[in-house]
Amino acid sequence: MAHTFFKESPFKTLISFHKLIEALEEIASTNIDYRANYAKALLQEIERFPV
């Protein structure tokens, strides 16, 4: 079976980092330990970068 792969994607990927940060803040405030801890760790990493 021959696979045809695009060398260039016909789609354009757009990421809203503000929405991502908002979602991480919501997860960090939950009671699910492993998810909240992971979200808090990510928020601490991005804290160094100005908006």
Side-chain angles (χ1 to χ4, degrees):
M1 177 188 281
H3 293 285
T4 306
F5 296 103
F6 292 106
K7 293 189 184 210
E8 292 184 20
S9 175
F11 303 102
K12 187 174 185 180
T13 304
L14 300 175
I15 299 173
S16 172
F17 288 103
H18 295 286
K19 292 286 186 183
L20 177 63
I21 292 168
E22 287 175 9
L24 286 173
E25 289 171 341
E26 286 181 28
I27 293 169
S29 67
T30 63
N31 291 331
I32 304 171
D33 286 339
Y34 70 94
R35 288 189 75 201
N37 291 339
Y38 184 70
K40 288 174 187 175
L42 289 175
L43 288 169
Q44 285 177 350
E45 286 294 319
I46 62 173
E47 196 173 73
R48 302 181 289 167
F49 301 100
V51 177

